[in-house]
C-alpha cells in the first residue's frame, strides 16, 4: 500500500524552481528580515529572524542567520558561493554540506525576495524591513503559489 504524506509543503513536487534571469550578488548583500517560511527543525519556534549576507574578499559570502527562541538568541554562521546558474547560491552551515538557495523572485527595487531550494519543503519570504504592506505580501504569496508551493503552510514570522 502506498500512502502520500504532505509535510511542510512537500506534498506536491511540481514546483517551478526557475531562478531570476538576472541577479546581482552585490545587490543581495546586507540584512534581510524573514517575513514567512515553511516550518523546519533548524528554525522551529523562532521569531525575530534575520539573515545578513556579507561579500568576502575571496568572492564567497558570509551568511549570519539569527533569531530568538523564547528569550534566547541563536546565531548560525555559514558560507555561500555563486554557481554557474544565475540566481542560485550554494549555502553551507554544516561543514562541507551545501544546499541550493534559489532566488526565485525579487522586487525590482530589491525590497523583498522569494527564496526556495531544490526541495519543495523550503521556502522563505525575505524583506529589507521587518514587515511588508499586506497587498505586497499577498502578491509575493501568489507568486509562490503560482510556482506550485503549498503556501497555506507558510509560517508568518513575528518580528
Amino acid at each position: 500500500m502506498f500512502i502520500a504524506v504532505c509535510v511542510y509543503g512537500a506534498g506536491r513536487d511540481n514546483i517551478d524552481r526557475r531562478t531570476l534571469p538576472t541577479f546581482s550578488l552585490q545587490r543581495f548583500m546586507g540584512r534581510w528580515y524573514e517575513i514567512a517560511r515553511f516550518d523546519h527543525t533548524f528554525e522551529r519556534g523562532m521569531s525575530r529572524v534575520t539573515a545578513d549576507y556579507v561579500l568576502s574578499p575571496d568572492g564567497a559570502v558570509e551568511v549570519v542567520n539569527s533569531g530568538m527562541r523564547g528569550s534566547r538568541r541563536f546565531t548560525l554562521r555559514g558560507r555561500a558561493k555563486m554557481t554557474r546558474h544565475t540566481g542560485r547560491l550554494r549555502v553551507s552551515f554544516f561543514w562541507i554540506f551545501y544546499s541550493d538557495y534559489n532566488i526565485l523572485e525579487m522586487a525590482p527595487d530589491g525590497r523583498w525576495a522569494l527564496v526556495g531550494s531544490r526541495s519543495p519543503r523550503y521556502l522563505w519570504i525575505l524583506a529589507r524591513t521587518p514587515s511588508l504592506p499586506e497587498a505586497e505580501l499577498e502578491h509575493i504569496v501568489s507568486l509562490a503559489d503560482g510556482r506550485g508551493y503549498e503556501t497555506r503552510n507558510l509560517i508568518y514570522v513575528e518580528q
Side-chain angles (χ1 to χ4, degrees):
M1 180 162 90
F2 177 78
I3 300 173
V5 178
C6 179
V7 180
Y8 312 127
R12 52 185 180 178
D13 195 10
N14 57 340
I15 305 297
D16 175 359
R17 293 179 180 82
R18 284 179 294 159
T19 57
L20 294 173
T22 58
F23 174 72
S24 166
L25 183 62
Q26 289 76 17
R27 194 169 150 218
F28 197 74
M29 296 298 98
R31 171 155 290 181
W32 290 92
Y33 294 86
E34 191 176 86
I35 303 300
R37 67 170 179 262
F38 281 161
D39 189 27
H40 44 79
T41 55
F42 51 93
E43 283 188 290
R44 187 160 293 143
M46 284 194 156
S47 62
R48 293 190 264 163
V49 178
T50 60
D52 292 294
Y53 298 87
V54 179
L55 191 58
S56 300
D58 67 359
V61 176
E62 179 185 12
V63 183
V64 180
N65 286 350
S66 181
M68 299 294 291
R69 189 172 287 132
S71 62
R72 188 167 172 214
R73 176 159 297 282
F74 289 85
T75 300
L76 186 61
R77 293 181 181 279
R79 290 187 58 83
K81 56 187 176 182
M82 288 292 293
T83 68
R84 290 183 296 172
H85 190 87
T86 303
R88 177 173 295 144
L89 303 174
R90 298 281 291 160
V91 179
S92 177
F93 289 100
F94 306 106
W95 193 44
I96 61 170
F97 301 103
Y98 280 82
S99 298
D100 284 342
Y101 192 81
N102 299 326
I103 293 83
L104 305 171
E105 305 278 353
M106 195 167 173
D109 63 0
R111 288 176 28 90
W112 57 261
L114 179 66
V115 178
S117 76
R118 180 179 294 165
S119 168
R121 296 186 323 199
Y122 298 102
L123 184 69
W124 294 270
I125 297 173
L126 306 175
R128 294 295 188 177
T129 56
S131 64
L132 289 169
E134 190 65 32
E136 197 166 22
L137 183 55
E138 287 175 8
H139 170 70
I140 301 164
V141 170
S142 73
L143 291 172
D145 191 57
R147 285 174 167 269
Y149 285 96
E150 296 275 0
T151 56
R152 72 174 187 266
N153 293 326
L154 281 168
I155 294 170
Y156 293 87
V157 179
E158 178 186 327
Q159 286 291 348

